[in-house]
Amino acid sequence: MAAYIVFMRDRMKDPAEFERYMAAVPGTLEGHPVRPLAIYGKLEQLEGPPIEGAVIAEFESYEAALAWYRSPAYQKAVQHRFKAGDYRVFVLQGL
């Protein structure tokens, strides 16, 4: 059953760190099949606290999504995102 990791950026703090993060992410995906569904596209906030942008990525399963997120390669890359901005991130199992 598919699962989705959703990244919601609340506030950008350091664009240079964000660029480092974005450059590092593709290398973290080796061996982790993923289908990007949305990457910082047009956004209209309908409810809740405002966000600056969002990413939605589809993985084969909940376990596969967590395996990528927890992988050593991604954990190294994510340090740049932590410096780049304030985010909310969650994994959601699909139907």
Side-chain angles (χ1 to χ4, degrees), residues 17-63:
E17 284 291 338
F18 181 73
E19 290 302 319
R20 289 182 189 98
Y21 170 72
M22 291 299 285
V25 167
T28 72
L29 297 171
E30 186 176 329
H32 298 278
V34 61
R35 186 167 72 124
L37 299 178
I39 301 176
Y40 296 107
K42 184 177 178 180
L43 173 81
E44 182 175 337
Q45 189 78 34
L46 299 176
E47 295 184 21
I51 64 172
E52 291 181 355
V55 172
I56 303 171
E58 181 181 57
F59 289 81
E60 295 174 343
S61 67
Y62 192 87
E63 294 76 17

Side-chain angles (χ1 to χ4, degrees), residues 2-8 21 29 34-38 54-59 61-70 74 81 88-94:
Y4 306 88
I5 293 186
V6 179
F7 299 81
M8 298 184 306
Y21 170 72
L29 297 171
V34 61
R35 186 167 72 124
L37 299 178
V55 172
I56 303 171
E58 181 181 57
F59 289 81
S61 67
Y62 192 87
E63 294 76 17
L66 289 176
W68 169 74
Y69 183 85
R70 294 175 176 159
Y74 185 70
R81 183 171 57 77
R88 289 176 275 165
V89 179
F90 59 91
V91 60
L92 176 69
Q93 188 170 21

